Amino acid sequence: MADAASHSVPLHVAIIMDGNGRWAAARGLPRVAGHREGAKAVRRVIEAAVNHGVRYLTLFAFSSENWQRPAGEVQDLTFLLKHYLRSELDELHAEGVRLKVIGERERFGAALAQELEEAERKTANNKRMTLVLALSYGGRAEIVTAARRAIEAGIKPEDLTEQNFAHFLFTAGIPDPDLVIRTSGEQRVSNFLLWQLAYAEIWFTKVLWPDFCAGDFANALEDYAGRERRFGARPV
Ligand code: IPE
Ligand code: IPE
Ligand code: MG
C-alpha cells in the first residue's frame, strides 16, 4: 500500500457515487435499498482513504439537479443522510476526520442544515482527513454564488483573479481534487466541481457504487500513480 508521504498518493480524491438505483433494480429491490447499501460503501471508502493517507475526500451525495427526482426518493435520501450523520459522526470524530459540507444545505430544511453545521463545528479541529460532503451541490450554482459574493465584497473587476475568486467558492481553503472517481460506467461530470476539476485526473469504473470496495479504491489510486500530469506544460 502506498504511504501517506508518497507524492503518488493524491492529496484530494473526489467521488461521484453513482449506480445505487441500478444496483437495486438488478436485484428487484426498491431504489432506496440501493441508497442504503451505498451508505455502507461510503463507510468502506472513508476508511480506505484514511488508510491510504488521502488528506481530502469529497463525496458527491446529492446534486442540485437531484431535487427533480420523485418526492419519495428525495425523502428517502434525506432520511438516510440524517441517519448516516447521526450514526457515524462520533466515529468520524474519533478517527480525526474533519467534516465540511458544500452546497445549498438549507434546502434540506433548517433542522438538518443546523445538524450539519454542528457536525462541522464539532470536527473543525480534526487533522487526519477532511471529508467534504457535496449536498444539494451544483458546480454552476457554486460559481454564480461565488460571483455574487465577490461583488458583495466590493472587489473591483480589475482586481479579480483566479486566486481570489477561488476564496469565494464553497471549497475555499481546500486544494483542487487530484483524482476524480465516477462509478457505474457513466462518463460525465454531472455539474460536479466544475471550477475545481480543471486539471483533475479522472478514473471511471463500471462498478456500481454499492459494490465499490477498498480494492476498487486502491485500483484507482494505483492507476493515478502511473499517470503523468502536465498541467499544460511540456515535460522536461
Ligand atoms: C447515485 O445513485 C445516488 C444519487 C445520485 C443520489 P443513483 O440514484 O443515481 O443510481 P442510478 O444512476 O439511477 O443507478
Ligand atoms: C450524479 O449522479 C450526482 C450524484 C452522484 C450525487 P446522477 O445520477 O444524478 O447523474 P446523471 O443524472 O446520471 O448525470
Ligand atoms: Mg445516477
Side-chain angles (χ1 to χ4, degrees):
M1 193 192 288
D3 66 56
S6 162
H7 288 298
S8 60
V9 176
L11 183 66
H12 185 172
V13 178
I15 307 183
I16 303 175
M17 310 184 290
D18 200 9
N20 295 353
R22 278 162 283 168
W23 183 93
R27 287 161 181 76
L29 297 170
R31 291 180 64 85
V32 65
H35 295 315
R36 228 180 272 129
E37 204 62 25
K40 295 185 195 163
V42 168
R43 268 175 223 126
R44 291 195 291 273
V45 166
I46 292 172
E47 193 188 328
V50 167
N51 288 341
H52 281 276
V54 169
R55 303 302 309 275
Y56 297 85
L57 176 69
T58 296
L59 300 177
F60 199 9
F62 194 95
S63 76
S64 42
E65 288 72 34
N66 288 151
W67 292 107
Q68 298 168 49
R69 293 190 180 194
E73 183 171 0
V74 170
Q75 244 167 42
D76 288 340
L77 285 165
T78 308
F79 175 84
L80 281 172
L81 167 63
K82 205 180 303 177
H83 180 77
Y84 181 87
L85 188 68
R86 287 177 188 168
S87 66
E88 300 300 309
L89 183 62
D90 285 345
E91 192 176 336
L92 289 172
H93 187 45
E95 291 291 324
V97 174
R98 173 171 75 127
L99 193 75
K100 159 117 187 112
V101 176
I102 58 171
E104 296 171 343
R105 68 182 80 181
E106 317 76 41
R107 292 190 69 182
F108 292 102
L112 183 48
Q114 195 182 332
E115 264 187 65
L116 289 164
E117 213 163 298
E118 275 160 22
E120 287 179 318
R121 211 173 306 128
K122 177 174 172 158
T123 60
N125 295 319
N126 292 343
K127 300 271 184 285
R128 197 154 175 212
M129 187 178 81
T130 298
L131 173 64
V132 182
L133 289 182
L135 299 172
S136 189
Y137 173 86
R140 287 187 173 180
E142 179 185 31
I143 291 168
V144 170
T145 301
R148 288 198 182 122
R149 288 176 178 173
I151 293 166
E152 279 163 10
I155 293 219
K156 292 202 203 91
E158 61 271 27
D159 292 336
L160 191 64
T161 64
E162 292 184 13
Q163 282 71 30
N164 63 26
F165 184 75
H167 294 310
F168 294 102
L169 294 166
F170 296 143
T171 52
I174 295 170
D176 289 343
D178 302 292
L179 172 65
V180 177
I181 295 171
R182 183 166 188 156
T183 59
S184 87
E186 308 297 355
Q187 302 193 351
R188 54 177 169 263
V189 172
S190 299
N191 203 16
F192 187 42
L193 299 174
L194 296 180
W195 173 280
Q196 298 85 344
L197 298 190
Y199 267 102
E201 297 295 325
I202 310 186
W203 190 78
F204 297 109
T205 175
K206 290 202 164 100
V207 173
L208 301 173
W209 178 251
D211 290 326
F212 195 83
C213 65
D216 297 313
F217 190 80
N219 287 342
L221 260 55
E222 195 184 322
D223 190 76
Y224 172 86
R227 295 188 188 190
E228 184 193 25
R229 301 181 76 188
R230 290 189 286 274
F231 301 96
R234 287 170 58 204
V236 255

